[in-house]
Structure formats: structure tokens, C-alpha cells
Amino acid sequence: MRRALLFIGLITLGISNLGVANTFIINPKQILNIETGELIKSQVLVRDGKIIEISRSIKSTNDIEIINLPKLTLLPGLMDAHVHLIGNTDLKGYEGFSESSYLATLYGAKNAKNTLLAGFTTVRNVGAGNYSDVALKQAINQKAIIGPTLLVSGPALGITGGHCDSNTLPPDFEHRSDGVADGPWDIRKKVRENKKYGADLIKFCATGGVMSKNTNLRTKQYTQEEMEAIVDEAHSRGMKVAAHAHGLEGIRAAIMAGVDSVEHSSLIDEQTIELAKSKGVYLAMDIYVSDFILGEGVEQGIPEYSLNKERQVGRLQRENFKKAVDANANLVFGTDAGIFPHGKNARQFKYMVEWGMTSLQAIQASTISTAKLFDMNDTGQIKESYQADIIGVEGNPLEDITILENVKFVMSDGVVIK
Ligand code: ARG
């Protein structure tokens, strides 16, 4: 009777989400080998969160649950190196001040779930006050809620009055962001504090930004000495460094200081792309979000000062992305989800293909390359002994990359989520 009910349950769900079994055979239409682009007819055996075997016919036993996905193409779970999960994404401009950090963290749970359901099984949260991103990560790891595997930065470091500060309120409110630190020793202390409270990496602002008030995209923030202090302190504590930078001077300074990734990289030039390559620096260029900001920004309540800055930078960022692709730079997939709704991250793939990547390169950017940046050497591919982060889509994403916007099956850490 129980078995019969279980069976009916499986039929109505199409797949299992009962979460009891820990051993599965996934039986898809095909697997996309994202190293070569080949489509492989094969099954996948998953046990205790790991991929155990990939072969044509895997012998089943009683304790193994079979997941039949006759229409789906499997590929590894997607990764996004630049998201902002904390907070209600509908709140733009001043409205953000109406949200307590408790409420923002609860919205983080909702956003994490939507991200995972969209097929993003590992993401990096770059900047959050009150270590709410650490709390979110803990809740996911403790299986209190569902969400992607997270890497979190805690509060992003920035100069007083810079993009990583908060410049919207008048001095009466004495308001500043949690990560503000000026001068090498203040900075080193902040890095140590972030480490103490659970950050995996350090994010800092090396130039002004689009969404912040009274900052200039082209102006460098932090001196060379300060950037070097951030990188030295972070690296000596085993943390990577991600630098927000639009303007060329800030991008160059961050690369020279030894950061691991440059976020946005909007106004990078050919020479600096080569510099990044020679230093093994990854570029996370968020080339979709501009269309969202300029298309839906007014309606969404994005302030005019941000729209104005976006108009100056969006198009150039895409042109420079193309240069980076042509130069074979280390490009990773980073979207800035949070400006646009979480779970829509895959919209960026289309832009990456329009601006010079093959579909396979775009997929590799969000799997193999991002996994390298994250130092996760058992994630980002469907391979034996790798973590069982697997997604399924209908059709071949190499023929139509937008298929990735509609993920049908998600397994995260060996658990069927969708
Ligand atoms: N968080 C970034 C900033 O405020 C968003 C930049 C979005 N624009 C873009 N073209 N990537 O600077």
C-alpha cells in the first residue's frame, strides 16, 4: 500500500521530491558534456550527494530510486559569481530604508529558493550588512531552508562616501554602511572582523557605481596602499577578493593590488584585459542588468541619478565584454541579481552569446570557470566523484541558449529540489 502511494506520488510529481532516498539513478534523454559540447546517452548514479557513476546502464537495486527524465538534457548546476540575495528586490532607492535587516534576511530565504529553483546551485553573495548572508548560508547548510550552496562576503568594504557606503541620507541620521573602513589598519581590522563572523571572501568597492548616490563611475576609490592592505589581509586569511570596479583606473589598481576577480569591469580596455589575463584575474561582467535598469527602472523606482549613470556605461560594458571574449580572458558568470528578480539570472546567457561567446563558452563560464574562481574542484561538472548538482532542460542549450531560462529539473547536493 505504501509503495503504491509512493508510486502514485512519484507519478503526479513527475519526479520525486520526497527527500527520503539518498541513492538515485537519473535516466535522462542525454547528458551535455560541457567540456566538449558532446551529447551523451548515459545514466547517472548519485549517492550521498556525490556523482558515483556515469554509464549507459547502471544496475538498479531495491534501495535506489529511479528518476526518469526522458525529455531532458542534463548539465551541471549553474553558478553565479555576483548576486545580492538579501532584501526585498522590489524596494528601490529610499524605500530600502523601510526594511529591517531581519526582514531583509527573510527575503533572502525567498530569493535563495528562487535562485536554486532556476538551476543555480552555487552562487556568491557579494555584500550584505549585519552578516545576514552568513546567517542565510548557515540556514541553507543546516537544511532549515532550501537554497544554493553559498559563498558570502559579509559587509563589502568601501571608503567613506563611496559606492559601498550609503550616501542617501543627510548627516543628521549618521548613517553609514557596515563595511566602511578608511586607511590600511582600519581596513585590516574590517577584513579580520569579516573573517571572524563567517565571511568566505572579501568584496570591496574600487570605484563609484550605478546604484549609489553621489559616486562617480570613473573615479577610483581607495588608494593603492589601501587596496594592497585589503588583498594582503584577505589572502593571508585564505579569503579571495572581489573588487567592484567600473572605471579603468580602479580596475587597473585592483588588478595590480592582486584581487582575484573584478566585478563589472565595465570600462576595461584591451591592455588591461591582457593585464588581468597575465595575473590570472577573473572578470565577472554583468551584461544583462543594463537592459533591466533602463527598461524597467523607472517603473521600479530606480532613481534618475542611477539611470543616468547606467546610460553612460551599459553599452560600453557590452562592447568591452566582446573584447574580453576575443582576447580569451578569464570570464565568469556574474549577473548582479537582486537589481532584477532572483531566479532570472539565466537571462544573461543570451547576452553573452550575442556579445561574442559561443553557447558552450557561456555555459562553461557559469560552470567550469566560476568553479575555478570559487576554488571548488568537485563542482561545476557532471563527473564521477563530483558533487551532485545537476539540472535538466528540455532541448539542447547549445542550439538555443535561452532554454536555460526554463530549467525543469534541479538536483542540489544529491537532493531533488524540482
Ligand atoms: N551594482 C552595480 C552598480 O551599482 C550595478 C551596475 C549595473 N550596470 C551594469 N552595466 N552592469 O554599479
Side-chain angles (χ1 to χ4, degrees):
M1 183 59 188
R2 271 222 197 129
R3 282 209 155 246
L5 282 178
L6 182 75
F7 185 66
I8 292 165
L10 292 181
I11 290 183
T12 45
L13 290 168
I15 49 173
S16 160
N17 67 353
L18 300 174
V20 270
N22 67 349
T23 310
F24 305 89
I25 292 173
I26 313 176
N27 192 11
K29 180 175 180 214
Q30 56 198 7
I31 302 173
L32 176 64
N33 179 332
I34 57 149
E35 282 181 297
T36 62
E38 280 170 297
L39 292 165
I40 299 156
K41 296 251 176 289
S42 207
Q43 302 184 323
V44 186
L45 175 67
V46 169
R47 178 176 296 128
D48 296 329
K50 293 265 177 240
I51 296 169
I52 304 295
E53 188 187 338
I54 301 163
S55 67
R56 245 171 191 277
S57 69
I58 296 168
K59 207 164 112 17
S60 175
T61 54
N62 266 344
D63 60 326
I64 299 182
E65 195 175 304
I66 313 275
I67 304 171
N68 283 316
L69 306 169
K71 290 189 187 152
L72 300 192
T73 304
L74 299 187
L75 61 156
L78 304 170
M79 301 172 133
D80 191 329
H82 193 117
V83 303
H84 298 282
L85 290 170
I86 304 300
N88 176 355
T89 54
D90 291 342
L91 303 178
K92 297 282 181 331
Y94 281 102
E95 272 190 293
F97 289 105
S98 65
E99 194 182 45
S100 69
S101 72
Y102 306 107
L103 185 56
T105 313
L106 290 168
Y107 268 95
K110 175 189 168 190
N111 297 335
K113 181 179 172 186
N114 287 341
T115 303
L116 182 58
L117 289 173
F120 285 81
T121 51
T122 307
V123 304
R124 193 169 75 157
N125 202 72
V126 280
N130 288 306
Y131 299 96
S132 45
D133 53 355
V134 175
L136 183 63
K137 176 181 168 164
Q138 289 168 334
I140 292 169
N141 288 353
Q142 292 166 21
K143 308 216 184 298
I145 57 170
I146 65 160
T149 302
L150 291 190
L151 289 179
V152 299
S153 73
L157 274 72
I159 63 164
T160 296
H163 179 68
C164 283
D165 195 0
S166 168
N167 313 316
T168 351
L169 297 178
D172 318 47
F173 291 88
E174 293 180 9
H175 186 257
R176 47 140 64 190
S177 294
D178 291 348
V180 171
D182 299 290
W185 287 107
D186 208 10
I187 281 168
R188 285 182 186 271
K189 186 174 175 194
K190 193 63 84 177
V191 171
R192 292 169 189 175
E193 218 167 79
N194 280 1
K195 177 72 184 174
K196 170 177 171 177
Y197 292 119
D200 301 303
L201 71 137
I202 294 298
K203 153 94 181 277
F204 80 92
C205 284
T207 70
V210 170
M211 303 306 274
S212 55
K213 194 173 180 179
N214 292 333
T215 71
N216 188 316
L217 294 167
R218 289 184 161 76
T219 305
K220 184 176 76 155
Q221 297 181 352
Y222 278 135
T223 64
Q224 196 66 38
E225 186 190 9
E226 288 173 307
M227 289 192 200
E228 279 164 16
I230 295 173
V231 174
D232 179 59
E233 195 63 41
H235 283 176
S236 67
R237 260 143 252 297
M239 293 193 283
K240 299 238 169 175
V241 180
H244 156 109
H246 290 286
L248 187 59
E249 197 192 348
I251 296 172
R252 285 193 74 86
I255 295 172
M256 290 314 292
V259 302
D260 301 280
S261 67
V262 179
E263 312 297 303
H264 314 299
S265 309
S266 309
L267 304 177
I268 197 166
D269 63 4
E270 269 141 8
Q271 201 190 347
T272 311
I273 289 169
E274 288 307 321
L275 181 69
K277 270 177 66 184
S278 72
K279 295 205 157 242
V281 175
Y282 290 85
L283 307 177
M285 300 180 75
D286 50 342
I287 60 168
Y288 156 65
V289 69
S290 187
D291 273 14
F292 183 85
I293 294 173
L294 296 178
E296 293 168 54
V298 176
E299 189 188 323
Q300 290 272 327
I302 294 179
E304 177 51 34
Y305 58 77
S306 293
L307 299 175
N308 185 35
K309 286 196 265 189
E310 186 56 52
R311 284 181 210 112
Q312 297 169 37
V313 85
R315 168 94 199 177
L316 288 173
Q317 187 188 29
R318 289 173 185 180
E319 289 170 4
N320 293 331
F321 174 83
K322 177 141 193 355
K323 287 182 198 160
V325 175
D326 292 343
N328 207 13
N330 304 315
L331 286 158
V332 291
F333 188 91
T335 62
D336 225 338
I339 294 183
F340 61 88
H342 294 280
K344 303 295 180 196
N345 315 50
R347 285 181 182 172
Q348 184 168 287
F349 284 109
K350 189 178 95 178
Y351 291 78
M352 293 166 87
V353 170
E354 270 171 22
W355 289 89
M357 279 187 167
T358 64
S359 297
L360 187 60
Q361 282 177 314
I363 294 171
Q364 288 168 342
S366 87
T367 51
I368 298 172
S369 306
T370 305
K372 270 194 201 139
L373 168 63
F374 291 178
D375 267 345
M376 293 180 165
N377 48 23
D378 67 346
T379 312
Q381 291 190 60
I382 300 183
K383 267 193 178 171
E384 284 165 14
S385 86
Y386 273 55
Q387 189 166 307
D389 291 338
I390 298 170
I391 63 170
V393 292
E394 223 169 320
N396 179 359
L398 297 186
E399 279 160 17
D400 176 7
I401 195 74
T402 64
I403 286 173
L404 295 176
E405 294 172 29
N406 194 3
V407 168
K408 305 282 186 194
F409 170 80
V410 180
M411 174 179 268
S412 167
D413 223 348
V415 178
V416 178
I417 303 293
K418 180 177 183 174

